[in-house]
Amino acid sequence: MTSRGSARVNPAFGLAVYVSAQARPALETVLARAPGMVVVQADDPGPDSCRRIIVDADSGSTLLWLVHALQETLGAELLHTEDPVFAVASTGKLGQSLRASIATGRDLALLDVDADRRVVRHLSTHPGQIDRFSGRTRRVALLSDASAVLDFEPLPASASLPAVESQAVHLHRETGFDVVPIPITVDGPDELALLVRMIDAGFGASVLVHTHVRHIDAVRAALRSAPAPHPVLLDTINDGFAVAAAAAALNHLRRQGVGPGQARVAVVDPHRGGDLAGLLLAAGIGDLMLYDPVIYGVQLLHQLADRLDLVVDLIGLAAPPAGPAVLRARPEAPPRLTQATMQPRPLHALPGLLRAAVTARRSITMAARVAAVHAVAEQAPFGALLPRPDHPQLVSAVSDAALSVLSTP
């Protein structure tokens, strides 16, 4: 069986191929002709003497070629193909688990109207005990208006559901919370802010994901101007990406032997990074340039390169300046999870800050984000800018650092 270029394929462009046993030679011939890299990851016997063969390709174009070539070459010997990406998406990715017992009549009575009436009556007169006698503190609303789903243009809210569900899986795995994916159709940030306030009673926190930074800023402004109490709200840009990017920047400078106070840093297209510029200044960067390539072009950045220690590239420059180190940190194109030790992802910081926010029942402050920046940076292993997002101590380190600030009067 042909297998080549395993380091360059991507399981996101995979295919499960079911063929009759006698079709294996023809399948090998097709794989050998593939225009890109392909790797056979598994070759298992299936029912009725068929074979189930998992193939990963390096790109969507290679995968599309492979599907057509298999259909044309194998004909009836090709029993079935299945795209694992769509198979996983069709499951919903995350489900509910039943915590209350329903095995006996007595169990059911504890979930019936008389029991509910007692608890509701108690909470109506003791609202401070709602978190104690409900599941709110375990429940997180993951909201998206589909205005910034990866590198797509704004989408219908329902089309964003698979991406929101993936983020829900990651947050659930790292925090243990019940994370509910909720893509929503709204008419602007004011409606989104209203929805956050409306659902606050049932959730320990709300998180904005795959939402444009302009909409995030507008929602936060609307909530600040609304009557107290304010909902506990986090977002993937300010409470995730920006914290991780600032941590990576600090470690970049440390690798060069440059202290933050002496560092000269340029952030290219800074509006994409939310509070990143403020975080860098709060973390001690002494000389920070906010560079807008739309206004100034890129030539001036090249001319200033010899005055810089680090360029934080948020837009994806085709030709970054030579000389200073470059941290590529484009929010719309995050690195793969398995490669996220040199570039930031929201998952470096968001799970820990979410745990801190739910524990303290407070939104994350700038001081808590700065504490998280240092916590993330300190967890990076030798030779890396960042720890892996699933580093076993990362969530606790970030949460503890943020809570130490949030709990201070």
Side-chain angles (χ1 to χ4, degrees):
M1 188 67 67
T2 301
S3 175
R4 50 195 174 95
S6 59
R8 295 176 56 187
V9 297
N10 185 343
F13 304 108
L15 191 68
V17 183
Y18 296 81
V19 297
S20 60
Q22 60 267 29
R24 288 181 62 189
L27 175 62
E28 292 182 20
T29 300
V30 172
L31 297 180
R33 297 188 353 245
M37 297 296 177
V38 293
V39 170
V40 173
Q41 301 291 5
D43 184 352
D44 304 319
D48 302 323
S49 300
C50 80
R51 308 294 301 184
R52 175 179 177 270
I53 300 167
I54 305 297
V55 181
D56 287 344
D58 61 356
S59 65
S61 58
T62 300
L63 179 63
L64 184 61
W65 179 93
L66 188 60
V67 171
H68 290 313
L70 289 171
Q71 292 171 342
E72 292 175 358
T73 303
L74 300 183
E77 300 294 338
L78 178 63
L79 305 177
H80 177 57
T81 61
E82 182 180 67
D83 190 322
V85 164
F86 288 89
V88 169
S90 66
T91 66
K93 299 181 183 177
L94 201 64
Q96 290 185 327
S97 62
L98 187 63
R99 291 191 174 92
S101 175
I102 55 172
T104 69
R106 190 173 189 280
D107 292 334
L108 292 175
L110 299 179
L111 302 173
D112 213 335
V113 291
D114 289 335
D116 290 342
R117 188 176 289 112
R118 287 189 60 207
V119 178
V120 170
R121 183 181 294 116
H122 176 81
L123 294 182
S124 67
T125 56
H126 300 83
Q129 297 185 17
I130 289 175
D131 287 346
R132 179 181 176 187
F133 296 119
S134 75
R136 180 168 69 176
T137 56
R138 293 189 300 269
R139 197 177 302 119
V140 172
L142 197 62
L143 304 169
S144 175
D145 66 358
S147 57
V149 183
L150 302 173
D151 50 3
F152 291 97
E153 294 295 321
L155 296 169
S158 57
S160 72
L161 185 54
V164 181
E165 287 179 333
S166 289
Q167 293 302 305
V169 169
H170 295 311
L171 283 178
H172 170 73
R173 182 186 65 172
E174 297 301 331
T175 66
F177 294 145
D178 297 329
V179 183
V180 183
I182 310 176
I184 49 176
T185 301
V186 291
D187 186 15
D190 286 341
E191 278 194 10
L192 182 52
L194 179 61
L195 179 65
V196 172
R197 289 186 61 84
M198 290 172 63
I199 68 172
D200 179 58
F203 292 88
S206 295
V207 180
L208 295 177
V209 60
H210 295 308
T211 299
H212 198 283
V213 65
R214 288 196 303 271
H215 295 199
I216 291 171
D217 291 343
V219 168
R220 289 187 176 277
L223 291 176
R224 283 193 299 269
S225 63
H230 295 154
V232 177
L233 178 67
L234 295 87
D235 68 81
T236 52
I237 298 295
N238 297 296
D239 300 301
F241 171 81
V243 173
L250 291 182
N251 280 339
H252 235 311
L253 296 168
R254 286 168 183 160
R255 291 175 65 175
Q256 301 174 59
V258 180
Q262 291 73 47
R264 300 163 300 176
V265 178
V267 179
V268 180
D269 212 8
H271 75 278
R272 294 174 181 267
D275 284 340
L276 175 58
L279 277 175
L280 290 171
L281 289 173
I285 298 300
D287 187 343
L288 184 66
M289 176 194 301
L290 305 182
Y291 192 90
D292 189 331
V294 176
I295 296 176
Y296 302 113
V298 288
Q299 187 59 41
L300 179 58
L301 183 63
H302 285 257
Q303 295 172 5
L304 297 171
D306 60 351
R307 307 181 192 177
L308 299 171
D309 299 300
L310 177 65
V311 173
V312 181
D313 176 14
L314 301 183
I315 196 173
L317 294 169
V326 177
L327 171 61
R328 292 189 177 274
R330 187 165 171 249
E332 302 89 347
R336 294 188 209 172
L337 284 168
T338 54
Q339 300 173 351
T341 58
M342 302 304 289
Q343 293 175 262
R345 287 191 63 137
L347 286 170
H348 283 109
L350 183 60
L353 288 177
L354 178 58
R355 181 182 290 178
V358 171
T359 300
R361 191 62 184 161
R362 291 181 59 190
S363 291
I364 299 300
T365 62
M366 176 61 84
R369 290 180 188 138
V370 174
V373 168
H374 293 294
V376 173
E378 290 167 3
Q379 293 294 320
F382 179 79
L385 299 179
L386 293 162
R388 285 174 57 103
D390 59 355
H391 186 288
Q393 280 81 49
L394 182 58
V395 173
S396 294
V398 171
S399 177
D400 290 346
L403 278 173
S404 68
V405 175
L406 293 175
S407 60
T408 302

